């Protein structure tokens, strides 16, 4: 788990199976992990995960479930049956929802003869700043809310959270070093921010203790995605 390759999750934010497989093919084995989110999954369905697993990739199925506990539990069971190595729910769905999600995911994997999946919760989207929370009627800063929701995820028995790298230190000290923090909003020194508001470089995020870095557009939006991935990993190795 100490190699940059094992800590980099490249977000396959494309629209079709063909585009996704072409993007992965161009990587030539440079990646260990990819992320399939709502955009790709809603076009391809679960077969996308199967295809990526056949390529020897680990898959983070980022569907961010948020519904009543029974529905999320069933969805998690189905998500795990695709062979996904990591799945997630929204922490704002509440502690009961998260606890049922984790139990269903673990039992589902066991029944399907699969290894236990990593089950994590999204705290606060990295595209959200303080003014977005005010608009939603939520008091407190994104950092305070993320820390609170991470504690809830830990109490619900989840393996970790998705959070901004800015919150890693506080989340780790409140929940222990083993509580995973997966950080999107990562921008290598040479990349632009896009719509992400709370960004950090790979080296900064790793120094703060992030376990996995999610990088999307700086890699798959680059003219040479493989070179961008290798450059990102080179930057990570400077940690
Ligand atoms: O292109 P970029 O590096 O900004 O992509 C980040 C990826 O991480 C996107 O797929 C986005 O949906 C996801 N994500 C995020 N913030 C979260 C959770 C997931 O940006 N809190």
């Amino acid at each position: 788990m100490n190699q940059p390759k094992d800590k980099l999750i490249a977000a396959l934010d494309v629209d079709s199976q063909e585009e996704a497989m072409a993007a992965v093919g161009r990587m030539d084995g440079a990646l260990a992990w990819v992320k399939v989110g709502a955009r790709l999954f809603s076009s391809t369905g679960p077969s996308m995960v199967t295809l990526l697993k056949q390529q020897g990739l680990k898959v983070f199925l980022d569907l961010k479930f948020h519904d009543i506990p029974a529905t999320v539990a069933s969805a998690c069971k189905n998500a795990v049956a695709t062979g996904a190595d990591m799945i997630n729910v929204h922490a704002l769905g509440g502690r009961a929802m998260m606890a049922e999600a984790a139990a269903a995911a673990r039992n589902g994997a066991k029944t399907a003869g699969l290894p236990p999946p990593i089950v994590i919760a999204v705290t606060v989207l990295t595209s959200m700043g303080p003014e977005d929370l005010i608009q939603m009627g939520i008091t407190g800063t994104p950092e305070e809310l993320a820390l609170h929701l991470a504690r809830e995820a830990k109490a619900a028995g989840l393996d970790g959270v998705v959070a901004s790298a800015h919150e890693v230190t506080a989340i780790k000290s409140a929940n222990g070093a083993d509580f995973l923090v997966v950080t999107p909003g990562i921008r290598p020194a040479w990349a632009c921010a896009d719509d992400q508001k709370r960004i950090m470089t790979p080296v900064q995020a790793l120094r703060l203790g992030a376990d996995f870095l999610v990088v999307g557009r700086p890699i798959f939006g680059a003219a040479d995605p493989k070179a961008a991935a290798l450059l990102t990993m080179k930057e990570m190795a400077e940690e």
Side-chain angles (χ1 to χ4, degrees):
M1 270 292 288
N2 293 322
Q3 297 302 313
K5 190 176 176 177
D6 297 314
K7 295 183 158 219
L8 176 65
I9 305 179
L12 265 176
D13 289 330
V14 293
D15 292 310
S16 69
Q17 193 164 289
E18 294 69 34
E19 280 178 86
M21 292 314 281
V24 163
R26 280 199 298 275
M27 283 294 164
D28 220 3
L31 295 174
W33 278 91
V34 288
K35 182 172 86 66
V36 174
R39 177 175 167 188
L40 180 58
F41 191 84
S42 54
S43 146
T44 65
S47 62
M48 188 72 250
V49 180
T50 313
L51 284 172
L52 293 167
K53 295 293 298 174
Q54 284 168 357
Q55 298 290 313
L57 288 159
K58 291 200 168 203
V59 178
F60 171 17
L61 189 54
D62 175 27
L63 297 179
K64 300 186 182 72
F65 296 129
H66 185 172
D67 207 319
I68 58 170
T71 300
V72 168
S74 301
C76 286
K77 179 171 165 271
N78 293 340
V80 162
T82 65
D85 302 274
M86 186 188 288
I87 65 164
N88 64 355
V89 298
H90 262 291
L92 281 167
R95 200 191 287 192
M97 187 206 79
M98 289 192 276
E100 287 199 32
R106 289 169 192 148
N107 291 338
K110 205 169 170 190
T111 309
L114 294 162
I118 299 172
V119 186
I120 56 178
V122 177
T123 54
V124 182
L125 296 172
T126 42
S127 58
M128 298 190 98
E131 64 287 356
D132 298 296
L133 295 194
I134 292 166
Q135 277 169 6
M136 290 167 73
I138 297 173
T139 50
T141 64
E143 289 75 17
E144 286 163 351
L145 181 60
L147 183 58
H148 174 72
L149 292 173
R151 281 201 178 99
E152 285 300 296
K154 169 87 177 178
L158 268 63
D159 299 302
V161 287
V162 184
S164 155
H166 293 272
E167 287 116 36
V168 175
T169 311
I171 290 172
K172 289 272 183 185
S173 58
N175 299 290
D178 292 346
F179 191 67
L180 299 173
V181 185
V182 177
T183 58
I186 298 298
R187 287 295 177 266
W190 40 269
C192 67
D194 302 303
D195 57 352
Q196 297 285 17
K197 289 189 184 155
R198 292 176 296 135
I199 59 171
M200 221 179 246
T201 68
V203 174
Q204 288 172 321
L206 289 176
R207 282 198 182 136
L208 290 168
D211 298 284
F212 292 96
L213 311 185
V214 176
V215 184
R217 286 161 289 185
I219 292 179
F220 288 116
D224 185 343
K226 184 182 173 187
L230 292 175
L231 206 55
T232 305
M233 287 186 254
K234 192 166 169 252
E235 212 176 304
M236 290 166 72
E238 286 164 20
E239 188 251 331

